[in-house]
């Protein structure tokens, strides 16, 4: 519950910050990563367990790699996202679609 609450807090904070800073031309957006091969999920699982989980439950059939997030970051920093603020982009292999 604490992890879900913290993620929800970041999304809500992003929206609040975007609203407060828009008048100054400052945009605020966030990326919501899914299971990614980083230290956090590896604290509780082995790499093999994470890869098996990805094949089993993530629609794209794998867990994320850190470099999977760079495209979203680059987009949000680019002029192409110049009219975006207060948004959350899920980079999770489709896992957000699982009921």
């Amino acid at each position: 519950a604490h992890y879900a609450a913290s993620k929800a807090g970041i999304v809500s904070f992003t929206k609040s910050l975007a609203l407060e800073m828009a008048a100054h031309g400052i945009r605020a957006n966030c990326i919501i990563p899914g299971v990614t091969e980083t230290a956090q999920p590896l604290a509780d699982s082995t790499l093999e367990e994470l890869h098996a989980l990805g094949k089993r439950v993530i629609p794209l059939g794998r867990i994320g790699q850190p470099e999977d997030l760079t495209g979203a970051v680059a987009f949000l920093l680019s002029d192409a996202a110049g009219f975006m603020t207060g948004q959350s982009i899920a980079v999770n292999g489709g896992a957000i679609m699982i009921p």
Side-chain angles (χ1 to χ4, degrees):
H2 64 285
Y3 184 74
S6 67
K7 274 200 168 191
I10 292 294
V11 170
S12 185
F13 173 71
T14 298
K15 291 177 182 181
S16 296
L17 187 63
L19 185 59
E20 290 178 22
M21 301 309 291
H24 304 286
I26 298 171
R27 299 177 295 118
N29 298 291
C30 70
I31 296 171
I32 307 169
V35 178
T36 305
E37 192 176 312
T38 60
Q40 191 267 338
L42 288 170
D44 297 320
S45 301
T46 67
L47 187 56
E48 294 76 23
E49 290 170 334
L50 286 179
H51 283 285
L53 173 73
K55 287 180 182 177
R56 191 173 67 250
V57 302
I58 298 174
L60 287 181
R62 64 176 181 86
I63 63 169
Q65 297 298 311
E67 54 271 15
D68 290 325
L69 303 170
T70 60
V73 172
F75 168 69
L76 288 174
L77 292 172
S78 75
D79 290 339
F83 198 57
M84 282 181 68
T85 195
Q87 302 304 305
S88 301
I89 298 177
V91 181
N92 60 21
I96 202 165
M97 300 179 294
I98 299 171

